[in-house]
Amino acid sequence: MAGDGEFGKTVKAALRSQKMSVRAAARSTNYDHAFLSRVLSGRQRPSEKLAKSLDELLCLEGLLMELFRSMNDEDHERLTAVSSHEVRLDARAVQAFSAVLTAQRRLDDVTGPGPMIHPARAQSEAVRRVLRDASGKYRDDLATVFAEHV
């Protein structure tokens, strides 16, 4: 969903744009390759220290940290639950979507559109699925946030 998966997709896109492998990034940041792979695939949550190391390695001017901070544990759980229809869309979920979309937009300004195409496409599909199945005031609020992002 929007949280960890987007972090991993964004980092992988930035690595590709700089022609750097996950192994090389792991070596450069002093992290285990297997651990970094789990984080980038969304199977494990990144730490703030890892996010900062990758931000510095990829020269993203603090924007990867902004994306990392845009998704706390509670927001991640909320967006996962909203996406899987376990709970209804609410104001906090709309705010969480907005924070992630804003961070992605700022990263696009630094990296250029190429590396952000796949993360942005995945995020758009996730938001569209939520919009398709939601109703009420918060649906309209999310539609506004999404329209501004697009």
Side-chain angles (χ1 to χ4, degrees), residues 18-45:
Q18 295 188 24
K19 296 179 176 45
M20 182 181 292
S21 70
V22 174
R23 278 193 192 281
R27 274 192 307 273
S28 295
T29 57
N30 295 317
Y31 279 90
D32 177 65
H33 169 261
F35 171 75
L36 185 57
S37 292
R38 286 191 306 274
V39 169
L40 299 186
S41 68
R43 293 187 315 250
Q44 189 161 346
R45 300 234 339 130

Side-chain angles (χ1 to χ4, degrees), residues 106-134:
R106 290 177 46 99
L107 272 165
D108 179 82
D109 291 342
V110 170
T111 65
M116 296 305 296
I117 288 173
H118 294 293
R121 183 176 292 148
Q123 186 65 40
S124 293
E125 287 305 313
V127 174
R128 279 189 200 144
R129 282 191 306 272
V130 171
L131 281 172
R132 182 187 62 226
D133 299 330

Side-chain angles (χ1 to χ4, degrees), residues 1-13:
M1 177 73 233
D4 303 331
E6 292 311 309
F7 180 88
K9 288 175 193 166
T10 301
V11 171
K12 286 192 278 189

Side-chain angles (χ1 to χ4, degrees), residues 2-4 6-7 10-11 45-48 50-56 60-72 75 95-110 116 149:
D4 303 331
E6 292 311 309
F7 180 88
T10 301
V11 171
R45 300 234 339 130
S47 66
E48 185 169 357
L50 174 61
K52 185 174 192 241
S53 295
L54 290 169
D55 194 278
E56 290 171 357
L60 294 175
E61 301 174 10
L63 295 174
L64 190 57
M65 285 299 298
E66 183 179 328
L67 178 61
F68 170 78
R69 289 184 181 129
S70 73
M71 278 306 293
N72 61 40
D75 288 342
Q95 290 170 345
F97 273 118
S98 179
V100 170
L101 293 171
T102 298
Q104 281 184 330
R105 218 174 19 248
R106 290 177 46 99
L107 272 165
D108 179 82
D109 291 342
V110 170
M116 296 305 296
H149 172 69

Side-chain angles (χ1 to χ4, degrees), residues 60-97:
L60 294 175
E61 301 174 10
L63 295 174
L64 190 57
M65 285 299 298
E66 183 179 328
L67 178 61
F68 170 78
R69 289 184 181 129
S70 73
M71 278 306 293
N72 61 40
D73 289 338
E74 181 183 333
D75 288 342
H76 178 263
E77 290 172 13
R78 182 180 309 275
L79 292 184
T80 299
V82 166
S83 293
S84 62
H85 309 297
E86 294 171 21
V87 299
R88 295 187 68 170
L89 182 64
D90 61 7
R92 183 67 188 164
V94 172
Q95 290 170 345
F97 273 118

